[in-house]
Amino acid sequence: KLNDFDCSLPEFSEAEPCTSRDVVDIGPSKTMKLSNGSVVITEDLWNHCRWQIPFFKDFNDDEFANLMKSAKLETFEDGQVVMKQGKKGEKFYIIESGKVEILVRGAFEDPLTTPSTYLGAVVNRFGEKDFFGERGLITGEPRAASIRATEKTRCLAFSQKDIPTSSVLSGQLTPTNERINQIDEKYA
């Protein structure tokens, strides 16, 4: 049984996927076999992560392979909040399939009249092979936006503790001003 809990319950309202699968093997053709037997990460996605994700390009082959082994494949249902603005960042995500929207609450919203479930205005949308969650890991600041799935979405999730210290995502290196500006533009 893949879904052991009800994602609509309040305790699962943020950053708790409906399913999370460990990477259990990396095959000879660089495909990752994930537990539960039904999901295989393709060589195309492996290569995309290796060469198109800017934070992964500088890893040596061993660092990258070890990072991929630590990944989880997390599934979020339509409407589920993946992360919430103001919370501590702990994971970096790459969308394997599905779509998400990025929402930001403004500083001038009245806390007395704005519903607590309101996540803010949509400032961007991401789809397959896009990534998010880097800002909080890089800056150490609370999440600057909320992310909500707009359809069933599967993401490779990387915990900050598993990211090599040679990467700015580890929180151990100081980001350049150029990198901060790129992130600020991405999330409006």
Side-chain angles (χ1 to χ4, degrees), residues 112-149:
L112 297 175
T113 60
T114 304
S116 61
T117 56
Y118 177 70
L119 297 174
V122 175
V123 297
N124 208 342
R125 290 182 170 81
F126 297 149
E128 185 177 325
K129 296 185 179 173
D130 287 332
F131 58 88
F132 59 92
E134 72 275 22
R135 188 178 194 287
L137 300 185
I138 291 171
T139 65
E141 297 171 357
R143 298 283 192 195
S146 294
I147 309 284
R148 179 174 53 206

Side-chain angles (χ1 to χ4, degrees), residues 27-176:
S29 64
K30 291 187 178 158
T31 58
M32 294 190 313
K33 298 175 185 173
L34 301 176
S35 62
N36 296 333
S38 61
V39 179
V40 174
I41 300 301
T42 64
E43 189 168 354
D44 177 56
L45 182 57
W46 174 278
N47 286 328
H48 177 80
C49 291
R50 180 71 178 110
W51 304 114
Q52 301 304 315
I53 303 299
F55 306 104
F56 294 176
K57 285 182 184 180
D58 295 331
F59 292 146
N60 65 42
D61 289 340
D62 288 338
E63 286 176 320
F64 179 72
N66 288 334
L67 178 64
M68 294 303 282
K69 286 178 187 177
S70 72
K72 305 263 188 228
L73 185 68
E74 297 184 351
T75 303
F76 300 93
E77 297 298 330
D78 183 8
Q80 190 175 7
V81 177
V82 179
M83 65 178 62
K84 199 165 185 182
Q85 184 174 343
K87 301 290 184 181
K88 181 180 180 346
E90 297 176 348
K91 294 181 185 178
F92 175 70
Y93 298 88
I94 300 171
I95 301 172
E96 188 262 344
S97 64
K99 295 179 182 169
V100 299
E101 59 188 3
I102 293 74
L103 305 110
V104 176
R105 286 185 74 143
F108 300 107
E109 292 166 3
D110 183 352
L112 297 175
T113 60
T114 304
S116 61
T117 56
Y118 177 70
L119 297 174
V122 175
V123 297
N124 208 342
R125 290 182 170 81
F126 297 149
E128 185 177 325
K129 296 185 179 173
D130 287 332
F131 58 88
F132 59 92
E134 72 275 22
R135 188 178 194 287
L137 300 185
I138 291 171
T139 65
E141 297 171 357
R143 298 283 192 195
S146 294
I147 309 284
R148 179 174 53 206
T150 58
E151 61 186 55
K152 186 172 186 171
T153 301
R154 295 187 333 175
C155 300
L156 288 175
F158 302 89
S159 176
Q160 187 175 34
K161 66 179 177 46
D162 296 325
I163 297 172
T165 57
S166 60
S167 171
V168 70
L169 290 176
S170 70
Q172 304 299 311
L173 300 175
T174 303
T176 63

